[in-house]
PDB file of all heavy atoms in Angstrom:
ATOM      1  N   GLY A 281    -104.677  45.698  36.873  1.00 97.00           N
ATOM      2  CA  GLY A 281    -105.486  45.178  37.973  1.00 97.00           C
ATOM      3  C   GLY A 281    -105.927  46.323  38.861  1.00 97.00           C
ATOM      4  O   GLY A 281    -106.613  47.244  38.407  1.00 97.00           O
ATOM      5  N   LEU A 282    -105.520  46.276  40.127  1.00 97.00           N
ATOM      6  CA  LEU A 282    -105.825  47.404  41.010  1.00 97.00           C
ATOM      7  C   LEU A 282    -104.616  48.331  41.122  1.00 97.00           C
ATOM      8  O   LEU A 282    -104.730  49.537  40.996  1.00 97.00           O
ATOM      9  CB  LEU A 282    -106.208  46.894  42.409  1.00 97.00           C
ATOM     10  CG  LEU A 282    -106.341  47.979  43.483  1.00 97.00           C
ATOM     11  CD1 LEU A 282    -107.424  48.991  43.117  1.00 97.00           C
ATOM     12  CD2 LEU A 282    -106.623  47.381  44.839  1.00 97.00           C
ATOM     13  N   TRP A 283    -103.437  47.729  41.346  1.00 97.00           N
ATOM     14  CA  TRP A 283    -102.241  48.535  41.567  1.00 97.00           C
ATOM     15  C   TRP A 283    -101.260  48.476  40.412  1.00 97.00           C
ATOM     16  O   TRP A 283    -100.331  49.283  40.352  1.00 97.00           O
ATOM     17  CB  TRP A 283    -101.471  48.031  42.806  1.00 97.00           C
ATOM     18  CG  TRP A 283    -102.263  47.875  44.057  1.00 97.00           C
ATOM     19  CD1 TRP A 283    -102.557  46.705  44.683  1.00 97.00           C
ATOM     20  CD2 TRP A 283    -102.847  48.907  44.863  1.00 97.00           C
ATOM     21  NE1 TRP A 283    -103.279  46.941  45.826  1.00 97.00           N
ATOM     22  CE2 TRP A 283    -103.475  48.285  45.958  1.00 97.00           C
ATOM     23  CE3 TRP A 283    -102.909  50.298  44.754  1.00 97.00           C
ATOM     24  CZ2 TRP A 283    -104.155  49.001  46.944  1.00 97.00           C
ATOM     25  CZ3 TRP A 283    -103.577  51.007  45.740  1.00 97.00           C
ATOM     26  CH2 TRP A 283    -104.194  50.354  46.816  1.00 97.00           C
ATOM     27  N   GLY A 308     -98.025  43.410  40.495  1.00 97.00           N
ATOM     28  CA  GLY A 308     -97.754  44.086  41.765  1.00 97.00           C
ATOM     29  C   GLY A 308     -99.011  44.242  42.598  1.00 97.00           C
ATOM     30  O   GLY A 308     -99.165  45.240  43.303  1.00 97.00           O
ATOM     31  N   GLU A 309     -99.925  43.252  42.523  1.00 97.00           N
ATOM     32  CA  GLU A 309    -101.137  43.310  43.340  1.00 97.00           C
ATOM     33  C   GLU A 309    -100.790  42.925  44.787  1.00 97.00           C
ATOM     34  O   GLU A 309     -99.728  42.364  45.050  1.00 97.00           O
ATOM     35  CB  GLU A 309    -102.206  42.363  42.768  1.00 97.00           C
ATOM     36  CG  GLU A 309    -102.580  42.649  41.323  1.00 97.00           C
ATOM     37  CD  GLU A 309    -103.143  44.047  41.106  1.00 97.00           C
ATOM     38  OE1 GLU A 309    -104.300  44.278  41.440  1.00 97.00           O
ATOM     39  OE2 GLU A 309    -102.404  44.918  40.604  1.00 97.00           O
ATOM     40  N   THR A 310    -101.715  43.175  45.720  1.00 97.00           N
ATOM     41  CA  THR A 310    -101.419  42.907  47.137  1.00 97.00           C
ATOM     42  C   THR A 310    -101.281  41.408  47.404  1.00 97.00           C
ATOM     43  O   THR A 310    -102.208  40.649  47.093  1.00 97.00           O
ATOM     44  CB  THR A 310    -102.565  43.445  48.024  1.00 97.00           C
ATOM     45  OG1 THR A 310    -102.879  44.751  47.594  1.00 97.00           O
ATOM     46  CG2 THR A 310    -102.168  43.461  49.486  1.00 97.00           C
ATOM     47  N   PRO A 311    -100.142  41.000  48.011  1.00 97.00           N
ATOM     48  CA  PRO A 311    -100.015  39.574  48.354  1.00 97.00           C
ATOM     49  C   PRO A 311    -101.188  39.147  49.236  1.00 97.00           C
ATOM     50  O   PRO A 311    -101.576  39.873  50.150  1.00 97.00           O
ATOM     51  CB  PRO A 311     -98.693  39.520  49.132  1.00 97.00           C
ATOM     52  CG  PRO A 311     -97.935  40.728  48.685  1.00 97.00           C
ATOM     53  CD  PRO A 311     -98.960  41.781  48.384  1.00 97.00           C
ATOM     54  N   GLY A 312    -101.762  37.991  48.949  1.00 96.00           N
ATOM     55  CA  GLY A 312    -102.883  37.484  49.744  1.00 96.00           C
ATOM     56  C   GLY A 312    -104.229  37.958  49.247  1.00 96.00           C
ATOM     57  O   GLY A 312    -105.258  37.357  49.538  1.00 96.00           O
ATOM     58  N   LEU A 313    -104.254  39.063  48.469  1.00 97.00           N
ATOM     59  CA  LEU A 313    -105.526  39.549  47.888  1.00 97.00           C
ATOM     60  C   LEU A 313    -105.412  39.407  46.372  1.00 97.00           C
ATOM     61  O   LEU A 313    -105.475  38.310  45.846  1.00 97.00           O
ATOM     62  CB  LEU A 313    -105.808  40.991  48.328  1.00 97.00           C
ATOM     63  CG  LEU A 313    -106.103  41.176  49.818  1.00 97.00           C
ATOM     64  CD1 LEU A 313    -106.160  42.637  50.195  1.00 97.00           C
ATOM     65  CD2 LEU A 313    -107.441  40.513  50.178  1.00 97.00           C
ATOM     66  N   GLY A 314    -105.190  40.522  45.672  1.00 97.00           N
ATOM     67  CA  GLY A 314    -105.046  40.436  44.217  1.00 97.00           C
ATOM     68  C   GLY A 314    -103.846  39.593  43.812  1.00 97.00           C
ATOM     69  O   GLY A 314    -103.829  38.971  42.745  1.00 97.00           O
ATOM     70  N   GLY A 315    -102.833  39.550  44.706  1.00 97.00           N
ATOM     71  CA  GLY A 315    -101.621  38.778  44.411  1.00 97.00           C
ATOM     72  C   GLY A 315    -101.889  37.285  44.294  1.00 97.00           C
ATOM     73  O   GLY A 315    -101.014  36.525  43.850  1.00 97.00           O
ATOM     74  N   LYS A 344    -117.943  36.398  41.155  1.00 95.00           N
ATOM     75  CA  LYS A 344    -117.864  36.285  42.624  1.00 95.00           C
ATOM     76  C   LYS A 344    -118.449  34.961  43.093  1.00 95.00           C
ATOM     77  O   LYS A 344    -119.444  34.488  42.526  1.00 95.00           O
ATOM     78  CB  LYS A 344    -118.634  37.431  43.258  1.00 95.00           C
ATOM     79  CG  LYS A 344    -117.792  38.660  43.452  1.00 95.00           C
ATOM     80  CD  LYS A 344    -118.484  39.657  44.365  1.00 95.00           C
ATOM     81  CE  LYS A 344    -117.573  40.831  44.649  1.00 95.00           C
ATOM     82  NZ  LYS A 344    -118.091  41.741  45.631  1.00 95.00           N
ATOM     83  N   LEU A 361    -111.216  36.281  42.754  1.00 97.00           N
ATOM     84  CA  LEU A 361    -110.311  36.221  43.906  1.00 97.00           C
ATOM     85  C   LEU A 361    -111.003  36.871  45.103  1.00 97.00           C
ATOM     86  O   LEU A 361    -111.533  37.982  44.976  1.00 97.00           O
ATOM     87  CB  LEU A 361    -109.017  36.969  43.586  1.00 97.00           C
ATOM     88  CG  LEU A 361    -108.240  36.375  42.413  1.00 97.00           C
ATOM     89  CD1 LEU A 361    -107.324  37.416  41.804  1.00 97.00           C
ATOM     90  CD2 LEU A 361    -107.453  35.167  42.868  1.00 97.00           C
ATOM     91  N   ALA A 362    -110.997  36.179  46.243  1.00 94.00           N
ATOM     92  CA  ALA A 362    -111.690  36.687  47.425  1.00 94.00           C
ATOM     93  C   ALA A 362    -111.089  38.013  47.876  1.00 94.00           C
ATOM     94  O   ALA A 362    -109.866  38.142  47.980  1.00 94.00           O
ATOM     95  CB  ALA A 362    -111.587  35.657  48.542  1.00 94.00           C
ATOM     96  N   GLY A 363    -111.962  39.016  48.096  1.00 94.00           N
ATOM     97  CA  GLY A 363    -111.514  40.325  48.576  1.00 94.00           C
ATOM     98  C   GLY A 363    -110.706  41.103  47.569  1.00 94.00           C
ATOM     99  O   GLY A 363    -109.995  42.033  47.936  1.00 94.00           O
ATOM    100  N   ALA A 364    -110.799  40.715  46.311  1.00 97.00           N
ATOM    101  CA  ALA A 364    -109.992  41.389  45.285  1.00 97.00           C
ATOM    102  C   ALA A 364    -110.804  41.534  43.988  1.00 97.00           C
ATOM    103  O   ALA A 364    -110.397  41.082  42.926  1.00 97.00           O
ATOM    104  CB  ALA A 364    -108.706  40.623  45.038  1.00 97.00           C
ATOM    105  N   THR A 365    -111.948  42.197  44.141  1.00 97.00           N
ATOM    106  CA  THR A 365    -112.831  42.353  42.982  1.00 97.00           C
ATOM    107  C   THR A 365    -112.159  43.152  41.862  1.00 97.00           C
ATOM    108  O   THR A 365    -112.352  42.860  40.682  1.00 97.00           O
ATOM    109  CB  THR A 365    -114.134  43.049  43.419  1.00 97.00           C
ATOM    110  OG1 THR A 365    -114.718  42.231  44.432  1.00 97.00           O
ATOM    111  CG2 THR A 365    -115.116  43.201  42.278  1.00 97.00           C
ATOM    112  N   LEU A 366    -111.369  44.138  42.261  1.00 97.00           N
ATOM    113  CA  LEU A 366    -110.785  44.993  41.218  1.00 97.00           C
ATOM    114  C   LEU A 366    -109.713  44.250  40.421  1.00 97.00           C
ATOM    115  O   LEU A 366    -109.638  44.368  39.193  1.00 97.00           O
ATOM    116  CB  LEU A 366    -110.224  46.271  41.831  1.00 97.00           C
ATOM    117  CG  LEU A 366    -111.306  47.101  42.532  1.00 97.00           C
ATOM    118  CD1 LEU A 366    -110.711  48.266  43.287  1.00 97.00           C
ATOM    119  CD2 LEU A 366    -112.327  47.601  41.517  1.00 97.00           C
ATOM    120  N   THR A 367    -108.908  43.462  41.113  1.00 98.00           N
ATOM    121  CA  THR A 367    -107.921  42.643  40.394  1.00 98.00           C
ATOM    122  C   THR A 367    -108.661  41.631  39.515  1.00 98.00           C
ATOM    123  O   THR A 367    -108.289  41.419  38.354  1.00 98.00           O
ATOM    124  CB  THR A 367    -107.008  41.893  41.388  1.00 98.00           C
ATOM    125  OG1 THR A 367    -106.418  42.834  42.273  1.00 98.00           O
ATOM    126  CG2 THR A 367    -105.919  41.122  40.681  1.00 98.00           C
ATOM    127  N   SER A 368    -109.725  41.028  40.076  1.00 98.00           N
ATOM    128  CA  SER A 368    -110.498  40.034  39.318  1.00 98.00           C
ATOM    129  C   SER A 368    -111.085  40.666  38.056  1.00 98.00           C
ATOM    130  O   SER A 368    -111.037  40.065  36.974  1.00 98.00           O
ATOM    131  CB  SER A 368    -111.625  39.469  40.179  1.00 98.00           C
ATOM    132  OG  SER A 368    -111.094  38.877  41.335  1.00 98.00           O
ATOM    133  N   ASN A 369    -111.632  41.877  38.201  1.00 98.00           N
ATOM    134  CA  ASN A 369    -112.166  42.562  37.013  1.00 98.00           C
ATOM    135  C   ASN A 369    -111.053  42.796  35.997  1.00 98.00           C
ATOM    136  O   ASN A 369    -111.265  42.677  34.790  1.00 98.00           O
ATOM    137  CB  ASN A 369    -112.786  43.914  37.400  1.00 98.00           C
ATOM    138  CG  ASN A 369    -114.059  43.737  38.196  1.00 98.00           C
ATOM    139  OD1 ASN A 369    -114.633  42.637  38.245  1.00 98.00           O
ATOM    140  ND2 ASN A 369    -114.529  44.795  38.838  1.00 98.00           N
TER     141      ASN A 369
HETATM  142  C1  FMN B 733    -104.217  47.380  51.841  1.00 57.94           C
HETATM  143  C2  FMN B 733    -105.239  46.937  50.841  1.00 57.94           C
HETATM  144  C3  FMN B 733    -104.827  46.227  49.739  1.00 57.94           C
HETATM  145  C4  FMN B 733    -105.760  45.820  48.782  1.00 57.94           C
HETATM  146  N1  FMN B 733    -105.336  45.135  47.692  1.00 57.94           N
HETATM  147  C5  FMN B 733    -106.230  44.772  46.757  1.00 57.94           C
HETATM  148  C6  FMN B 733    -105.821  44.081  45.586  1.00 57.94           C
HETATM  149  O1  FMN B 733    -104.658  43.726  45.381  1.00 57.94           O
HETATM  150  N2  FMN B 733    -106.768  43.783  44.666  1.00 57.94           N
HETATM  151  C7  FMN B 733    -108.091  44.129  44.838  1.00 57.94           C
HETATM  152  O2  FMN B 733    -108.892  43.844  43.954  1.00 57.94           O
HETATM  153  N3  FMN B 733    -108.491  44.746  45.952  1.00 57.94           N
HETATM  154  C8  FMN B 733    -107.603  45.078  46.904  1.00 57.94           C
HETATM  155  N4  FMN B 733    -108.019  45.722  48.008  1.00 57.94           N
HETATM  156  C9  FMN B 733    -109.461  45.891  48.218  1.00 57.94           C
HETATM  157  C10 FMN B 733    -110.013  46.977  47.363  1.00 57.94           C
HETATM  158  O3  FMN B 733    -109.696  48.194  47.932  1.00 57.94           O
HETATM  159  C11 FMN B 733    -111.520  46.783  47.245  1.00 57.94           C
HETATM  160  O4  FMN B 733    -112.086  46.929  48.495  1.00 57.94           O
HETATM  161  C12 FMN B 733    -111.834  45.420  46.761  1.00 57.94           C
HETATM  162  O5  FMN B 733    -111.293  45.232  45.491  1.00 57.94           O
HETATM  163  C13 FMN B 733    -113.325  45.185  46.710  1.00 57.94           C
HETATM  164  O6  FMN B 733    -113.451  43.807  46.493  1.00 57.94           O
HETATM  165  P1  FMN B 733    -114.400  42.874  47.373  1.00 57.94           P
HETATM  166  O7  FMN B 733    -115.772  43.317  46.971  1.00 57.94           O
HETATM  167  O8  FMN B 733    -114.064  41.510  46.913  1.00 57.94           O
HETATM  168  O9  FMN B 733    -114.050  43.128  48.821  1.00 57.94           O
HETATM  169  C14 FMN B 733    -107.117  46.139  48.962  1.00 57.94           C
HETATM  170  C15 FMN B 733    -107.514  46.849  50.087  1.00 57.94           C
HETATM  171  C16 FMN B 733    -106.597  47.246  51.014  1.00 57.94           C
HETATM  172  C17 FMN B 733    -107.069  48.018  52.194  1.00 57.94           C
END
Side-chain angles (χ1 to χ4, degrees):
L282 171 60
W283 308 113
E309 302 300 283
T310 313
L313 293 171
K344 272 193 175 187
L361 298 157
T365 302
L366 299 173
T367 305
S368 301
N369 290 346

